Amino acid sequence: MFYINILLQLLFPAAVASWSVSYNPGSMCALERASVDFSCMFDCPDSHRLKTTYWFKPEAHQKQDGSQVGISVYNSEPAKIHQLYKNRTTYANRDKNCSLQLHNVSKSDTGMYFFRFETYSSRGKYTGWGGIKLTVAVLPFRVTVKTKKVNEHIQEGDPVALTCSTENCILTQEPFAWFKNQRLIPEAIGSVLQITSVSSDDFGYYSCGLKNTRSASADEVLLDVRYSPKNVKISVLPSGKIQEGNSLTLICESNANPAVTNYSWFMIKEAYVSYIGSDREFSIKSASQKDDGQYFCTAKNDMGSQNSTVTALKVEVASNRNFFLTAAAVFLFLMAVLLLVMFGRLIIRRRKQFTSKKQPTEQTPAVTVTEEIYENLRKSPESEDNLTTNVLYVDLRLASSTSDRPPCRNQENDTVIYSLLSYKH
Ligand SMILES: *[C@@H]1O[C@H](CO)[C@@H](O)[C@H](O)[C@H]1NC(C)=O
Ligand SMILES: *[C@@H]1O[C@H](CO)[C@@H](O)[C@H](O)[C@H]1NC(C)=O
Ligand SMILES: *[C@@H]1O[C@H](CO)[C@@H](O)[C@H](O)[C@H]1NC(C)=O
Ligand SMILES: *[C@@H]1O[C@H](CO)[C@@H](O)[C@H](O)[C@H]1NC(C)=O
Ligand SMILES: *[C@@H]1O[C@H](CO)[C@@H](O)[C@H](O)[C@H]1NC(C)=O
């Protein structure tokens, strides 16, 4: 407004010059020991000559609207400056520029500040209404989250404003530092962190403070962006090739807020989709080729659901085990063949032995021995007298090799055999 006034004044000085004071901004928040800039421009008709210019602060018991002049913060007559503000101000003191710097602010500086100028004309006295309200911040900082929604969760796409403020005011003239999950967000330097459309990536814990003054940092505040499951994918444990007979677990992984409440597992086999499970994990105790197929899971929360990408499972017939089994089978077969061959040969040999043994015994059967015995039997003449004894001593003598029969192999047979024979009349 006042810029327009200045502009108009430059173009038509006499025509538009009027009585005015404008402040910018209307209220300020400052840290203790900081300096504040009260930006100010004033105007009055050129016909009036300035007598005094000053900034005043109504005292606590006075009206705070500027109608009662309080203590002088600055005065073009230095003697009138209040003790509390001596050497603490810098006045612009340039044509129509009434800006004031106040240094080393303390809590007692809290209050209203007004600019007033007086001319030599008795009616030419003017106070800029409205004034500037100075508040001295009470630390620590705190983060407040503002959305258009009331009592509703923040969803993706919502506009959100995070404000770094103190208990009593928002600092605007200081450079800020913002942190997300304790990491500095370099591009955020104002007291307000504006997000025009939040995404799941913005979910996190936020804190703020003044640049280079970590000690004044605020506690962390959660930006609880709600979103349906994202990045739903299957991970297979253990990883690598799936051997037949091994156990494996499929895990349905996702990123969701709030946490996923329902999982569903599906298997696609020969174009048929079948529902196979409802837990986060789907376990196969002993993998076999019937588990071959394509799998996907669905993760669902209050915000919605998403299907995972399809994961194909291929159960491999354990080639190592198979090799050993084959080797073992071949070995056993060979052993069996070997045994058969050996057994066969044994039987053949036995048969041959049997037949070659049998033939000679048939030629000289054991009976012939008895024949020999009877042949050699001779009645002793003495025994004829004494027949009562009934005992007969017989001298058995086996035939010697003189006979045409083949000799008996057993040499023992050559010895004398005694036998008790009963003699009957
Ligand atoms: C203000 O500063 C001047 C010189 O810089 C010094 O002589 C004077 O004592 C100071 N006054 C106060 C009240 O600090
Ligand atoms: C008024 O003076 C202050 C301090 O010298 C300066 O920073 C500001 O830019 C001036 N304003 C205008 C509009 O010239
Ligand atoms: C700032 O003001 C305080 C009292 O409010 C005083 O103790 C301190 O010395 C001042 N600092 C400077 C640099 O003038
Ligand atoms: C999700 O799971 C809960 C129990 O955990 C069940 O009551 C509800 O019906 C399920 N919702 C869907 C859509 O499957
Ligand atoms: C997810 O899978 C289910 C079951 O096959 C199907 O009904 C649904 O349409 C799928 N959703 C998407 C987004 O593809």
Side-chain angles (χ1 to χ4, degrees):
M1 185 65 187
F2 66 95
Y3 293 107
I4 294 166
N5 274 351
I6 291 162
L7 190 70
L8 291 173
Q9 202 184 339
L10 286 169
L11 296 170
F12 320 99
V16 289
S18 61
W19 301 86
S20 73
V21 172
S22 57
Y23 307 107
N24 183 39
S27 67
M28 295 188 75
C29 178
L31 284 174
E32 276 190 290
R33 286 186 292 281
S35 292
V36 289
D37 292 317
F38 296 154
S39 183
C40 170
M41 294 298 287
F42 72 99
D43 198 14
C44 66
D46 280 346
S47 53
H48 292 77
R49 245 177 2 105
L50 284 174
K51 188 179 164 208
T52 54
T53 52
Y54 58 100
W55 281 85
F56 70 89
K57 179 177 184 282
E59 291 188 87
H61 61 274
Q62 292 182 310
K63 282 189 179 173
Q64 300 295 310
D65 61 1
S67 59
Q68 286 185 295
V69 174
I71 56 170
S72 274
V73 174
Y74 162 79
N75 200 306
S76 53
E77 295 168 44
K80 291 185 176 170
I81 295 174
H82 191 274
Q83 190 61 33
L84 278 172
Y85 292 94
K86 280 224 165 85
N87 282 7
R88 281 180 60 209
T89 57
T90 308
Y91 183 64
N93 203 21
R94 250 176 270 145
D95 185 44
K96 308 289 167 75
N97 186 339
C98 49
S99 296
L100 182 81
Q101 268 194 315
L102 176 63
H103 308 292
N104 195 18
V105 168
S106 69
K107 279 190 181 113
S108 60
D109 294 331
T110 297
M112 295 301 296
Y113 291 80
F114 296 91
F115 177 69
R116 182 173 170 83
F117 62 90
E118 296 176 6
T119 63
Y120 287 100
S121 153
S122 60
R123 287 175 62 209
K125 294 171 183 177
Y126 192 85
T127 297
W129 303 106
I132 290 175
K133 185 186 178 194
L134 176 67
T135 312
V136 177
V138 175
L139 295 179
F141 290 105
R142 61 182 181 189
V143 177
T144 47
V145 178
K146 286 195 189 98
T147 48
K148 284 178 185 167
K149 293 180 172 176
V150 184
N151 296 329
E152 255 188 81
H153 292 299
I154 298 164
Q155 286 184 30
E156 281 191 294
D158 288 348
V160 170
L162 302 179
T163 304
C164 189
S165 60
T166 64
E167 194 182 290
N168 55 342
C169 64
I170 301 168
L171 287 158
T172 52
Q173 294 190 332
E174 315 278 341
F176 279 83
W178 282 92
F179 304 89
K180 180 189 170 192
N181 299 329
Q182 277 148 33
R183 284 197 176 177
L184 182 75
I185 308 168
E187 62 272 20
I189 52 162
S191 60
V192 180
L193 177 59
Q194 200 87 42
I195 306 170
T196 49
S197 169
V198 285
S199 77
S200 57
D201 293 339
D202 296 318
F203 176 96
Y205 291 87
Y206 289 78
S207 65
C208 66
L210 287 179
K211 246 187 172 75
N212 315 319
T213 324
R214 288 299 303 269
S215 58
S217 286
D219 287 339
E220 289 188 312
V221 164
L222 174 66
L223 181 58
D224 190 19
V225 182
R226 300 282 172 115
Y227 51 94
S228 61
K230 285 175 189 298
N231 308 323
V232 183
K233 65 176 201 291
I234 295 173
S235 71
V236 183
L237 285 178
S239 59
K241 286 182 177 175
I242 301 153
Q243 305 282 2
E244 191 178 28
N246 287 4
S247 70
L248 68 141
T249 304
L250 308 184
I251 302 163
C252 190
E253 289 178 343
S254 64
N255 173 17
N257 183 34
V260 172
T261 51
N262 294 60
Y263 289 98
S264 309
W265 283 93
F266 298 93
M267 184 189 190
I268 311 170
K269 196 159 190 170
E270 286 147 11
Y272 281 104
V273 178
S274 45
Y275 172 83
I276 52 168
S278 64
D279 292 326
R280 196 172 101 88
E281 295 182 2
F282 177 75
S283 292
I284 296 171
K285 284 203 173 67
S286 174
S288 69
Q289 272 164 326
K290 74 169 165 53
D291 299 314
D292 278 0
Q294 291 178 309
Y295 293 79
F296 72 93
C297 65
T298 305
K300 181 179 174 293
N301 69 359
D302 291 347
M303 308 302 294
S305 69
Q306 195 183 57
N307 288 351
S308 73
T309 50
V310 172
T311 296
L313 280 196
K314 179 88 188 78
V315 179
E316 298 207 349
V317 177
S319 55
N320 262 2
R321 240 168 49 119
N322 212 38
F323 170 77
F324 283 120
L325 279 177
T326 316
V330 166
F331 177 75
L332 283 174
F333 176 75
L334 286 175
M335 285 299 285
V337 167
L338 207 70
L339 276 172
L340 267 175
V341 167
M342 282 169 73
F343 192 63
R345 283 183 61 180
L346 206 71
I347 283 169
I348 289 161
R349 212 192 313 170
R350 273 273 164 88
R351 234 176 228 162
K352 273 184 183 165
Q353 273 180 7
F354 189 61
T355 44
S356 62
K357 258 184 187 170
K358 240 182 175 175
Q359 275 165 350
T361 43
E362 268 168 6
Q363 283 168 351
T364 54
V367 194
T368 53
V369 179
T370 35
E371 276 173 5
E372 277 182 282
I373 291 165
Y374 285 105
E375 270 179 347
N376 295 334
L377 193 72
R378 279 182 287 112
K379 204 177 171 182
S380 65
E382 305 99 330
S383 60
E384 272 181 286
D385 300 323
N386 195 7
L387 287 169
T388 48
T389 51
N390 284 350
V391 176
L392 191 69
Y393 288 95
V394 177
D395 186 13
L396 292 175
R397 206 181 299 265
L398 291 172
S400 66
S401 55
T402 47
S403 71
D404 55 350
R405 294 189 187 98
C408 187
R409 274 195 197 146
N410 201 337
Q411 293 297 310
E412 282 169 18
N413 288 352
D414 290 337
T415 57
V416 177
I417 296 168
Y418 295 94
S419 181
L420 190 64
L421 297 171
S422 61
Y423 188 80
K424 273 193 178 165
H425 294 276

